[in-house]
Amino acid sequence: MKNQRKIIHIDMDAFYASIEQRDNPELRGKPVVVGGNPQGRGVVATCSYEARKYGIHSAMPCKTAYKRCPYAIFVRPRFEVYKQVSYEIRNIFHKYTDLVEPLSFDEAYLDVTENKLNIKYATEIAKLIKKEIYEKTGLTASAGVSYNKFLAKLASDYNKPNGLTIIREDNTQSFLDNLPISKFFGVGKVTQKVLHNLGIKTGYDLRQLDVNELESIFKNRGYLFYQLSRGIDHRPVEPHRERKSIGAETTLIENLDIEDEKLINILDELCEEVADRANYLKKRGKTVVLKVKYGDFTQITRSMSVNNPISSHEDIRTNIYNLFKNIEHNHQDIRLIGVTLSNLINEEVTNITFFEYIKSIESEKK
Ligand code: DCP
Ligand code: MG
């Protein structure tokens, strides 16, 4: 128990949808979907818990959501309002500690081992934060309390909405043993399949493999899985998360032929957006990445790297056009295109402020 950190993970419940229900009483208690037009090509950003009963979830095409629940009320996102709430909850976190690592608009890790109010128990702080969030914003959050980030995040997810879950050292192993492997950090759909094929379905199953076996299957991630299945995670709470890339992409209003001139204009706009944001964040990048999704949903990415980091609209465009010129014509129209600048370096040493951070997330989600 000695030298244990006290970590809290806070995650707002059905964030965008709850704000819409808060601001429009007619939406309360009803299935609400925030995202695109139900007949259009957009995806669901999020939905109320009432809508989740119909199997609707984030990132699902709006058309599918409509089929699952034609009575759902579809509303467009209002990022300005979400940003304001994000700012309010963030101010509440900072009353307790400056070791706050936001993961998105509605989610953050807090290290409260040492805290500004000298409160002994992290659970007490989590309760106070939930209460204050509700009083200030009228919204509920779920909190997880534990001694590392991995466990705190699992805990906040355990009893949503409006939950408060504590994972202590003495109940960690039974909690993890019963957990489906899809809930482990770093296990996406592909890894999940590999594990299932090996008969590994739960944390308990994962823990039966020794480090060598895990490393031979998963290379570097093997050791991570070895540690996580035992509840070990030494990652610090990092107040200023370094961005790894700056990207912009768009689903086209209609699929376009690869020769269509409109594509060049759209690519140009995306390059400009990436350049603007890079300049805003004072970043330059060595690698540009072009992403193309075809009508049949297959996707390719092509990248190239330069010796001297770039950030201007012209430089990004030149490289992206070169990549675009060389992609194969596979007789499919194009559905989505995207431009990313990665391998970033700081133009000058700056700490990215919360507003910059929020702004960059916001444009990422557009
Ligand atoms: N979001 C988005 N697109 C996604 C996922 C999320 O635009 N694919 C937005 C909408 C969400 C917000 O980010 O409201 C927070 O994401 P969460 O994953 O925390 O989801 P919610 O807060 O909506 O629901 P939950 O109660 O499960 O946390
Ligand atoms: Mg949330």
Side-chain angles (χ1 to χ4, degrees):
M1 290 296 277
K2 50 193 168 341
N3 296 333
Q4 260 195 355
R5 291 181 294 158
K6 296 173 186 168
I7 310 293
I8 302 176
H9 179 258
I10 302 272
D11 185 348
M12 301 295 288
D13 302 319
F15 188 51
Y16 296 180
S18 305
I19 293 177
E20 296 307 325
Q21 289 180 319
R22 176 194 73 176
D23 294 350
N24 180 356
E26 282 178 20
L27 301 180
R28 290 181 200 159
K30 296 191 182 144
V32 174
V33 177
V34 182
N37 181 327
Q39 316 301 343
R41 295 157 60 98
V43 293
V44 174
T46 193
C47 61
S48 64
Y49 276 78
E50 293 85 353
R52 293 183 196 196
K53 289 187 198 138
Y54 296 87
I56 301 174
H57 57 76
S58 292
M60 168 185 276
C62 288
K63 275 186 183 161
T64 314
Y66 179 76
K67 273 190 211 134
R68 295 207 174 172
C69 180
Y71 311 104
I73 304 166
F74 286 75
V75 294
R76 288 301 170 110
R78 295 179 301 150
F79 293 109
E80 279 307 311
V81 184
Y82 311 150
K83 187 166 79 177
Q84 181 56 35
V85 177
S86 190
Y87 181 69
E88 283 173 53
I89 62 170
R90 164 100 174 192
N91 278 341
I92 297 171
F93 301 156
H94 278 275
K95 284 191 182 170
Y96 299 90
T97 176
D98 288 326
L99 281 179
V100 175
E101 179 180 336
L103 295 176
S104 69
F105 262 179
D106 84 321
E107 207 185 319
Y109 291 113
L110 283 69
D111 184 331
V112 295
T113 318
E114 312 263 321
N115 59 79
K116 294 180 186 176
L117 302 186
N118 289 324
I119 296 172
K120 191 169 171 200
Y121 296 108
T123 308
E124 182 62 31
I125 298 180
K127 280 185 193 159
L128 289 168
I129 289 177
K130 274 166 58 77
K131 183 164 169 277
E132 200 168 337
I133 288 180
Y134 188 72
E135 283 167 1
K136 287 250 162 63
T137 69
L139 302 165
T140 62
S142 295
V145 178
S146 195
Y147 52 91
N148 65 42
K149 294 209 285 191
F150 170 57
L151 295 170
K153 190 163 160 76
L154 285 175
S156 74
D157 190 47
Y158 186 70
N159 192 18
K160 263 185 163 290
N162 203 8
L164 171 61
T165 304
I166 301 129
I167 303 183
R168 291 192 191 83
E169 199 169 22
D170 52 3
N171 59 19
T172 295
Q173 204 56 66
S174 67
F175 185 90
L176 291 177
D177 282 355
N178 287 310
L179 205 67
I181 42 117
S182 59
K183 297 270 184 188
F184 279 81
F185 177 72
V187 177
K189 284 211 179 94
V190 177
T191 309
Q192 200 179 326
K193 215 167 174 188
V194 175
L195 288 166
H196 275 180
N197 287 341
L198 293 166
I200 296 165
K201 297 217 155 86
T202 63
Y204 176 83
D205 301 336
L206 188 61
R207 194 157 59 87
Q208 305 315 304
L209 298 180
D210 68 34
V211 180
N212 295 334
E213 278 175 290
L214 282 166
E215 285 184 335
S216 72
I217 308 168
F218 297 108
K219 307 278 177 312
N220 297 337
R221 278 186 308 157
Y223 185 55
L224 176 75
F225 293 154
Y226 177 85
Q227 288 195 309
L228 294 183
S229 65
R230 287 158 179 77
I232 302 166
D233 174 14
H234 297 301
R235 289 173 301 156
V237 170
E238 290 176 304
H240 299 292
R241 209 160 56 115
E242 278 295 314
R243 293 187 64 77
K244 298 218 167 63
S245 65
I246 298 170
E249 63 177 44
T250 186
T251 302
L252 308 170
I253 295 164
E254 50 176 351
N255 290 0
L256 292 177
D257 183 87
I258 200 162
E259 306 281 355
D260 198 312
E261 277 174 16
K262 279 188 222 138
L263 278 175
I264 292 292
N265 293 334
I266 295 168
L267 268 182
D268 186 26
E269 280 168 19
L270 293 173
C271 291
E272 185 176 11
E273 185 181 335
V274 170
D276 281 352
R277 282 169 47 203
N279 291 323
Y280 188 78
L281 296 169
K282 302 208 176 346
K283 299 272 183 193
R284 288 165 167 265
K286 281 191 164 185
T287 306
V288 287
V289 187
L290 170 72
K291 172 170 156 187
V292 171
K293 200 189 258 181
Y294 294 103
D296 64 355
F297 286 86
T298 54
Q299 181 177 305
I300 57 163
T301 55
R302 296 287 176 266
S303 65
M304 63 184 295
S305 294
V306 292
N307 287 333
N308 294 322
I310 55 171
S311 64
S312 74
H313 178 188
E314 290 71 25
D315 286 344
I316 296 173
R317 182 173 56 198
T318 309
N319 288 292
I320 284 291
Y321 280 5
N322 269 333
L323 291 170
F324 188 67
K325 233 175 28 204
N326 290 316
I327 62 172
E328 51 271 35
H329 293 215
N330 72 351
H331 309 295
Q332 280 275 343
D333 283 348
I334 292 179
R335 175 183 170 86
L336 170 150
I337 46 175
V339 171
T340 299
L341 184 66
S342 63
N343 241 327
L344 299 179
I345 55 147
N346 285 333
E347 205 155 73
E348 57 191 61
V349 182
T350 52
N351 273 338
I352 157 173
T353 66
F354 177 60
F355 279 116
E356 287 167 337
Y357 179 76
I358 289 295
K359 199 161 177 219
S360 58
I361 294 175
E362 185 184 65
S363 28
E364 233 165 42
K365 285 192 172 160
K366 256 189 212 157

